[in-house]
């Protein structure tokens, strides 16, 4: 579903990604871990061209993301749902309007169609009863679930999550992870950058460890957490919470 080949990204003289290769199968949940500054978020942002790759190629369902420009790139981005650390909701629009907006503007759905799809997705994340609320009336966890509903309403082929719980109070994290686990169970293809190691152990099909702009090691959760091969991964896990090492 998603194929990254020899991806490189530099900012000026600083090389952030060095020849990243990663394939994600349809319905697979790939969890990306690594220290801050290892290039995890940059890799995700290259996948929908929020950052322009310096070299390499990215394919989504056989189509070249890296070869798209203009209107073709806009259409391609609609197939790649992205959920950020910040929620990026429009503060002056209701929850329902936030989930409808891109459907009407980008997919050219009628307002009736967009409203029906928005309500369906809000129901999906357990927030249909908050449709008329403003973002300021919601908790951080609820706002993040609205952001997930907004991305899902566009019918993406893959969902990218960039630290989706790191801005949340600990007691709100579970509600977001529950929605993500539900999506996995429904067969959504997902790439998740996060420090939620217990969630990675439980829900991931594969875990990828990045450090210094390269993929150091990849494997099942059992392999990565239970028998890490590289010294870099062992050192990383030993610095984490004891439950992840």
């Amino acid at each position: 579903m998603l194929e990254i080949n020899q991806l490189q990204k530099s900012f000026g003289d600083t090389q952030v990604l060095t020849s990243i290769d990663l394939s994600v199968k349809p319905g697979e949940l790939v969890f990306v871990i690594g220290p801050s500054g290892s290039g995890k978020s940059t890799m995700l942002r290259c996948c929908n061209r929020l950052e322009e790759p310096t070299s390499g190629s990215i394919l989504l369902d056989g189509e070249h993301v890296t070869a798209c420009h203009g209107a073709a790139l806009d259409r391609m981005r609609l197939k790649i749902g992205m959920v950020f650390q910040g929620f990026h909701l429009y503060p002056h629009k209701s929850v329902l309007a936030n989930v409808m907006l891109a459907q009407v503007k980008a997919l050219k759905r009628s307002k009736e169609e967009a409203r029906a799809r928005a309500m369906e997705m809000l129901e999906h994340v357990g927030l249909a009863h908050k449709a008329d609320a403003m973002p300021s009336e919601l908790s951080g966890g609820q706002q993040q679930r609205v952001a997930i509903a907004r991305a899902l309403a566009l019918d993406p082929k893959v969902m990218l999550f960039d630290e989706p719980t790191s801005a949340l109070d600990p007691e709100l994290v579970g509600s977001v992870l529950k929605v993500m686990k539900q999506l996995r169970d429904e067969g959504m293809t997902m790439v998740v950058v996060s420090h939620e190691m217990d969630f990675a152990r439980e829900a991931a099909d594969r875990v990828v460890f990045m450090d210094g702009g390269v993929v150091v090691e990849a494997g099942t959760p059992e392999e990565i957490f239970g028998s890490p091969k590289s010294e870099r991964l062992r050192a990383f896990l030993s610095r984490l919470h004891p439950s992840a090492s």
Side-chain angles (χ1 to χ4, degrees):
M1 182 59 75
L2 183 68
E3 194 172 335
I4 301 171
N5 298 307
Q6 298 184 336
L7 178 66
Q8 297 191 27
K9 174 63 181 176
S10 297
F11 295 99
D13 295 332
T14 304
Q15 187 154 25
V16 179
L17 298 176
T18 307
S19 199
I20 298 286
D21 291 300
L22 179 64
S23 293
V24 183
K25 298 170 190 164
E28 193 176 27
L29 195 167
V30 173
F31 211 93
V32 184
I33 64 173
S36 297
S38 58
K40 308 182 300 295
S41 293
T42 300
M43 179 188 72
L44 274 198
R45 292 170 68 85
C46 284
C47 287
N48 67 357
R49 304 267 300 280
L50 284 175
E51 296 288 357
E52 283 296 331
T54 303
S55 63
S57 66
I58 298 167
L59 286 82
L60 176 70
D61 203 16
E63 293 184 76
H64 277 273
V65 177
T66 32
C68 290
H69 300 283
L73 177 57
D74 291 339
R75 284 194 297 274
M76 181 65 73
R77 281 185 173 135
L78 293 173
K79 299 175 184 177
I80 305 172
M82 185 113 185
V83 177
F84 300 90
Q85 179 176 338
F87 321 122
H88 301 301
L89 301 179
Y90 291 103
H92 60 290
K93 291 185 179 291
S94 70
V95 164
L96 180 62
N98 265 282
V99 183
M100 286 176 59
L101 186 63
Q103 296 183 68
V104 174
K105 297 283 188 189
L107 293 183
K108 307 301 180 191
R109 286 178 179 160
S110 69
K111 286 191 175 178
E112 292 72 24
E113 209 180 352
R115 181 178 289 107
R117 181 66 175 156
M119 287 305 298
E120 185 184 350
M121 290 301 98
L122 286 171
E123 182 76 45
H124 204 53
V125 300
L127 288 173
H129 64 294
K130 294 288 188 181
D132 296 325
M134 302 301 282
S136 61
E137 299 174 283
L138 304 183
S139 71
Q142 289 172 329
Q143 289 187 60
Q144 191 62 291
R145 282 150 61 199
V146 172
I148 294 171
R150 178 178 58 186
L152 290 173
L154 299 174
D155 304 320
K157 292 189 172 183
V158 61
M159 286 282 286
L160 309 178
F161 292 85
D162 188 8
E163 302 280 10
T165 60
S166 63
L168 302 180
D169 292 334
E171 67 268 22
L172 302 176
V173 168
S175 65
V176 174
L177 296 182
K178 181 181 176 184
V179 170
M180 293 169 66
K181 190 168 183 294
Q182 186 179 337
L183 291 176
R184 186 215 62 178
D185 292 344
E186 291 164 0
M188 174 60 76
T189 307
M190 300 162 70
V191 182
V192 180
V193 168
S194 176
H195 293 290
E196 298 290 342
M197 298 298 159
D198 289 340
F199 181 68
R201 286 171 180 270
E202 178 191 358
D205 295 298
R206 225 159 13 111
V207 178
V208 173
F209 171 63
M210 287 180 63
D211 192 16
V214 299
V215 172
V216 177
E217 202 168 325
T220 64
E222 293 77 16
E223 289 167 340
I224 293 297
F225 296 114
S227 53
K229 296 183 179 68
S230 67
E231 183 54 46
R232 283 158 86 181
L233 176 54
R234 284 195 291 271
F236 173 74
L237 292 175
S238 72
R239 291 195 299 268
L240 295 175
H241 189 275
S243 68
S245 60

